[in-house]
């Protein structure tokens, strides 16, 4: 039995803990607030500021885990190299976690070192630098904090009057202590996909069937599997994903995002952990969901194959108001639907647009994915988050 220190305890962490509990692993869930979703199903928990290196060192020494599994960005990730030297396995690796917690490191690795095709981009550490960067990449362009998640701080600049607002919004949405943004030229893409990529210690890299998704405010609203993609584009995306995950090292599941455009595939972003759009795998689309795959790769349990078994979709259940004690109406309605399921994450508070749950639908592989997605969207609307 292994001891796992989970850094970040949201809904993705909760599903990971459930997967770990099912095969007898011990998990200590860590977050900045008590009663976070993963804490509700873990063996033990800690409440700390993970950007405080001394606090991070303290709980690592206290629990002496076999594995450290990051679930969020806002962590003092440079400490991970020391933990690896102590014999603790950082997932997927200290390099992977450190590079991908900051968009600058992963983008430079992909574009400059590996030569992957990306949007034209610049960096800015002030409003004046942002003006200069926008002039160089052109409008429209997208601005994102170097450290953020779930679309926080992300906006699109269409006119000069948007620049100051974009800077302020990015600083407000930034996680951690890095006040810097990436400015990306707008890619005229036809669709976006997430390619869940599983690296293994002693076995080949495996890929899940591509997942399509739609975003609002930089946060995913629906995802579906399999996404429609040409064989040529899929091969190109898999090749890019394998190159970048190999460069980062270690074992685990990566969520690698791509834009699909008329002129081919563009690398967008990478997360060294289960991906929010991958919650569609909870609909039973594969022989293993993304959380089970992450766990098995971490523990060096061989994964013979990842098999797509059903068409599926997920749709987000969001809150519309602030509440200290959110409740849910409509669960009996969604429960009555065929080939439909749902998850309520157990977040102790709500705020507008906060992701509180997800509706899941599936059907046979012959069923059009658009039809299954529409059913997920309709199902999610049956659940109301109340204060």
């Amino acid at each position: 039995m292994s001891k796992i220190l989970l850094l970040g305890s949201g809904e993705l962490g909760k599903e990971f803990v459930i997967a770990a509990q099912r095969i007898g692993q011990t998990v200590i869930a860590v977050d900045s607030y008590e009663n976070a979703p993963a804490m509700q199903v873990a063996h033990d928990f800690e409440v700390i500021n993970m950007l405080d290196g001394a606090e991070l060192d303290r709980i690592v020494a206290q629990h002496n885990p076999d594995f450290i599994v990051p679930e969020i960005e806002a962590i003092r990730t440079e400490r991970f190299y020391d933990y690896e030297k102590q014999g603790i396995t950082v997932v997927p690796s200290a390099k992977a976690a450190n590079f991908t917690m900051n968009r600058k490191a992963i983008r430079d690795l992909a574009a400059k070192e590996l030569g992957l095709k990306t949007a034209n981009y610049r960096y800015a550490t002030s409003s004046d630098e942002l003006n200069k960067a926008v002039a160089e990449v052109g409008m429209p362009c997208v601005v994102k904090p170097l450290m953020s998640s779930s679309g926080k701080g992300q906006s699109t600049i269409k006119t000069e009057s948007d620049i100051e607002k974009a800077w302020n919004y990015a600083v407000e949405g930034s996680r951690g202590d890095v006040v810097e943004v990436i400015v990306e030229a707008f890619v005229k893409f036809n669709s976006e996909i997430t390619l869940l990529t599983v690296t293994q210690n002693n076995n080949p890299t495996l890929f899940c069937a591509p997942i399509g998704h739609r975003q609002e405010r930089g946060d995913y609203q629906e995802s579906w599997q399999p996404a429609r993609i040409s064989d040529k584009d899929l091969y190109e995306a898999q090749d890019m994903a394998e190159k970048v995950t190999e460069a980062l090292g270690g074992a685990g599941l990566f969520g690698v995002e791509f834009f699909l455009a008329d002129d081919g595939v563009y690398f967008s972003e990478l997360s060294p952990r289960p991906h929010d759009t991958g919650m569609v795998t909870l609909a039973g689309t594969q022989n293993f969901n993304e959380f089970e795959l992450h766990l098995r790769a971490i523990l060096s349990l061989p994964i013979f194959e990842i098999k797509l078994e059903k068409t599926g979709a997920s749709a987000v259940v969001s809150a519309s108001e602030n509440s200290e004690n959110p409740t849910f109406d409509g669960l009996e309605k969604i429960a009555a639907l065929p080939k439909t399921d749902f998850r309520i994450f157990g977040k102790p508070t709500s705020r507008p647009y906060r992701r509180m749950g997800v509706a899941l639908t599936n059907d046979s592989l012959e069923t059009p994915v658009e039809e299954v997605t529409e059913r997920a969207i309709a199902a999610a609307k049956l659940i109301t988050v109340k204060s």
Side-chain angles (χ1 to χ4, degrees), residues 58-290:
R58 178 183 66 79
I59 63 162
V60 169
Q62 177 186 331
H63 293 284
N64 190 27
D66 301 293
F67 298 91
I68 292 175
V69 179
E71 191 236 18
I72 61 169
E73 286 81 5
I75 304 171
R76 189 63 64 194
T77 53
E78 65 271 15
R79 289 287 213 274
F80 289 172
Y81 294 105
D82 288 335
Y83 304 152
E84 274 191 343
K85 289 174 185 172
Q86 295 169 28
I88 300 168
T89 300
V90 178
V91 175
S93 67
K95 180 180 179 181
N98 195 47
F99 271 48
T100 54
M101 293 303 176
N102 185 313
R103 286 187 169 101
K104 189 173 194 173
I106 189 62
R107 176 56 61 89
D108 286 350
L109 172 70
K112 294 179 180 176
E113 289 188 40
L114 301 177
L116 306 188
K117 184 158 69 173
T118 70
N120 187 17
Y121 67 97
R122 298 289 188 278
Y123 300 114
T125 58
S126 66
S127 178
D128 287 344
E129 285 187 14
L130 180 57
N131 271 281
K132 183 182 176 185
V134 170
E136 290 175 358
V137 303
M139 292 185 281
C141 58
V142 178
V143 176
K144 304 172 190 175
L146 289 188
M147 287 182 66
S148 72
S149 65
S150 300
K152 293 181 179 68
Q154 179 175 322
S155 61
T156 301
I157 292 176
K158 296 178 180 176
T159 66
E160 285 188 14
S161 61
D162 295 331
I163 296 174
E164 188 70 27
K165 287 183 288 185
W167 171 255
N168 292 333
Y169 184 58
V171 171
E172 182 186 311
S174 181
R175 298 177 80 160
D177 50 11
V178 177
V179 183
E180 189 170 4
V181 301
I182 183 171
V183 187
E184 297 179 324
F186 196 77
V187 175
K188 292 183 179 178
F189 60 89
N190 301 314
S191 60
E192 299 176 81
I193 65 161
T194 303
L195 191 61
L196 298 179
T197 303
V198 183
T199 58
Q200 303 185 79
N201 282 321
N202 301 304
N203 288 289
T205 295
L206 300 175
F207 303 99
C208 298
I211 295 168
H213 52 94
R214 185 184 70 85
Q215 296 190 31
E216 280 181 14
R217 298 171 300 277
D219 201 3
Y220 112 98
Q221 302 300 306
E222 301 99 37
S223 63
W224 53 90
Q225 188 184 33
R228 296 190 187 283
I229 182 172
S230 70
D231 289 345
K232 175 181 174 295
D233 283 354
L234 181 57
Y235 176 80
E236 195 174 340
Q238 289 178 342
D239 182 59
M240 287 190 194
E242 188 157 17
K243 283 177 179 172
V244 72
T245 54
E246 185 180 329
L248 291 169
L253 179 139
F254 293 78
V256 192
E257 294 182 66
F258 297 95
F259 296 122
L260 305 183
D262 288 342
D263 60 344
V265 180
Y266 286 77
F267 172 84
S268 174
E269 293 193 337
L270 179 145
S271 301
R273 58 188 180 275
H275 201 267
D276 51 7
T277 63
M279 280 194 278
V280 67
T281 62
L282 294 172
T285 55
Q286 305 181 157
N287 55 331
F288 298 112
N289 67 46
E290 67 168 343

